[in-house]
Amino acid sequence: MRKKIAMATLAILPLTVASANANGIVGVVTASTLNVRSGPSTSYSIISVAKKNEKVTILDSSNGWYKVKLGSGKEGWASGTYITKTNDTTSTTSNNTKKVSTNVNMRSGASTSYRVITVLKKGQSVEVISESNGWTKIKFDGRIGYVSSQYLEKSQSNTTTTNNNNNNAPTTTKSVNTDVLNVRSGPGTNHGIVGKAKRGEKLQVLLESNGWSKVNYAGKISYVSSSYLTAVNQPSQPKPEVKPDTPSDNNQNTGEANVNNNSLSYTLSDHVNRQFERISVGGNVIDSTKPRSSDVLTTFKMAQTRGFVNADKSDLEYFLNPENFRNSSKGMMQFLRLDRYRGGISVSELNSYLNSLVPASSGSNVFYNQGEAFINAAQKYNIDLVYLVSHAMWETGYGRSTLAQGQTLTSYKGQALDKPVKVYNFFGIGAIDGSANLSGAEASYSNGWTSIESTIDGSAKWIANGYIKSSKYNQNTVYKMKWNYDYTWHQYATDVNWANGISGIMNNLIKMYDTGSDLTFEIPKYK
């Protein structure tokens, strides 16, 4: 829990709402139960619950949330991740519809200076509204935005009609072109994983629609993303050239991920010396056994009894040197770009992991069934979900710490409270060395983190604003969050093993994503 964080007041960013007029669209709930809230985020109160396969009328949308009308007549907001818009028996694609030729950013305006609304996947269809100066105004999933025209395929024929219920349609055989591809029970990442197909495995494709292929997998009807299938007897298409408005601007491609080697203006020795200057004020410490592994549970338990000691120059050089980590998948995770939410992990998948941490019968698993809260927070603040979960696991010893279990405050900074308040802290925010539990609890109280959901949401906002999305610090990897050469000394933690520890947990969870092709790593290259 080793922290020494300056509690700076962070400006609250205005919520940009992308609204869509979706009157009359019918949706079907895909989750076993879905909370319907008074507003478009988990911070709003629950006013009703919709059940699986229940039909709702979609009235509006905002930042991944749908305003819906239930059969009872009640209106509220529900996460769009768990609502699938129904399709007519016959779908028609007109000549104002185009498909995306590669993964591409959909922006709020016609240039790369505008914010990214979402990332469109290769093969997805969009409605074309207009085109000017190399940019196309489109409508996708009820939202209006812009994409670079060069990433849209040529217009389709005037009208193409596909009967979705035609079981006698001709089939094709395609092979998997990525290392591991999730096979799902339905056409979307909100559906559960029923298997994993490996590179080169051949699948019988029965139907393709909206970027998903209906396939025969192990004798059962299943679905996979069409982007990762290649027609048999046709040469594999080379990966498209990365151009300025693809989701990542990489200068190296390694296997399924993009790797940026960022040159620095100072040497490794310079950075070691600067970090060593902080030793005298407790700026860099290490477990007394100087662990070189990500065994977080062992480290966490041992730290409670032994404490930490000042790191020496050899410790600093080891953890600062990227070459000690870039050849292992575990070590590489600390260089993963964290400033984008990636879909592909369902609530049920994440809950399966969270619920396995501690037996439910013990009653001490604070993260039990909190998958939706983590997903909503990561999506809301556009940060990486695997990182967010892994950070919480590392800081709390998988939910076992006193801060995670919750503390009841009867006073705040020496002043008695009107009534006791229970607060939570999952990311060590404000937890100062030597008084972590008290200072961490008071930081939680000042932020209003009095429930598990509000703590996850508020912490994600705090981290996004202060580190990952900060234009001032630009600390968009775990490595950068820990190591900062600047004398302003904006570092998240004092433990020199902090970034390496979190990356070990990330490595265990990263396989939940359907593919690694949209992962981008930034590795510092010292002078």
Side-chain angles (χ1 to χ4, degrees), residues 47 54 61 64-65 79 87 89 121 169 171 176 180 189 195 198 236 247 307 358 392 405 410 416 450 464-465 500:
I47 59 175
E54 182 176 341
S61 69
W65 288 74
S79 174
N87 297 320
T89 301
K121 301 292 186 181
T171 63
V176 177
V180 179
T189 55
K198 296 181 179 180
S236 298
V358 181
Q405 290 292 312
T410 57
T450 57
N465 288 352
N500 182 51

Side-chain angles (χ1 to χ4, degrees), residues 55-247:
K55 291 186 177 181
V56 298
T57 301
I58 301 173
L59 305 176
D60 202 354
S61 69
S62 172
N63 292 329
W65 288 74
Y66 288 151
K67 185 177 182 181
V68 299
K69 184 175 182 179
L70 305 178
S72 63
K74 281 188 176 181
E75 294 183 7
W77 292 83
S79 174
T81 305
Y82 311 106
I83 298 176
T84 299
K85 295 177 182 178
T86 58
N87 297 320
D88 295 330
T89 301
T90 302
S91 62
T92 301
T93 303
S94 63
N95 61 1
N96 69 336
T97 299
K98 292 186 178 182
K99 287 187 176 182
V100 177
S101 61
T102 186
N103 292 359
V104 63
N105 292 329
M106 173 179 170
R107 297 181 178 272
S108 59
S111 89
T112 56
S113 62
Y114 288 89
R115 69 179 179 85
V116 177
I117 297 174
T118 188
V119 177
L120 303 175
K121 301 292 186 181
K122 180 180 178 181
Q124 287 184 321
S125 297
V126 299
E127 181 183 341
V128 175
I129 299 174
S130 63
E131 187 173 356
S132 177
N133 297 322
W135 287 82
T136 301
K137 186 177 182 179
I138 63 170
K139 184 176 182 180
F140 176 77
D141 195 25
R143 293 181 286 182
I144 304 297
Y146 295 80
V147 297
S148 177
S149 302
Q150 62 184 317
Y151 301 117
L152 294 179
E153 294 179 349
K154 294 180 180 180
S155 300
Q156 308 296 315
S157 57
N158 287 343
T159 303
T160 303
T161 303
T162 304
N163 189 331
N164 290 337
N165 291 330
N166 184 5
N167 293 324
N168 296 317
T171 63
T172 59
T173 300
K174 294 190 176 184
S175 64
V176 177
N177 61 23
T178 188
D179 288 343
V180 179
L181 177 62
N182 288 335
V183 182
R184 296 183 179 271
S185 59
T189 55
N190 55 313
H191 293 276
I193 297 174
V194 297
K196 292 183 181 292
K198 296 181 179 180
R199 182 183 291 275
E201 186 171 342
K202 294 179 175 58
L203 300 175
Q204 185 183 28
V205 179
L206 308 176
L207 181 69
E208 288 189 57
S209 178
N210 296 322
W212 288 85
S213 291
K214 184 178 182 180
V215 300
N216 186 333
Y217 179 78
K220 294 182 180 180
I221 300 300
S222 308
Y223 295 82
V224 298
S225 174
S226 301
S227 301
Y228 307 107
L229 295 179
T230 300
V232 175
N233 298 326
Q234 290 186 11
S236 298
Q237 296 297 315
K239 295 192 76 172
E241 178 185 356
V242 179
K243 298 177 181 176
D245 202 45
T246 51

Side-chain angles (χ1 to χ4, degrees), residues 11-47:
I12 299 176
L13 299 180
L15 179 66
T16 303
V17 177
S19 181
N21 182 6
N23 293 322
I25 298 176
V26 177
V28 177
V29 176
T30 58
S32 56
T33 58
L34 179 62
N35 292 333
V36 179
R37 299 178 180 270
S38 58
S41 84
T42 55
S43 61
Y44 290 90
S45 61
I46 299 173
I47 59 175

Side-chain angles (χ1 to χ4, degrees), residues 469-481:
K469 297 284 188 174
S470 170
S471 59
K472 180 178 181 180
Y473 299 110
N474 190 34
Q475 292 170 285
N476 56 7
T477 68
V478 177
Y479 181 93
K480 291 180 184 178
M481 290 174 70

Side-chain angles (χ1 to χ4, degrees), residues 179 199 239 250-261 326-327 332 516-517 519 521 523:
D179 288 343
R199 182 183 291 275
K239 295 192 76 172
N250 60 297
N251 56 24
Q252 177 186 340
N253 184 277
T254 303
E256 289 297 315
N258 302 313
V259 178
N260 297 338
N261 293 289
R326 68 182 303 155
N327 292 325
M332 277 291 289
S517 63
L519 300 178
F521 297 86
I523 303 180

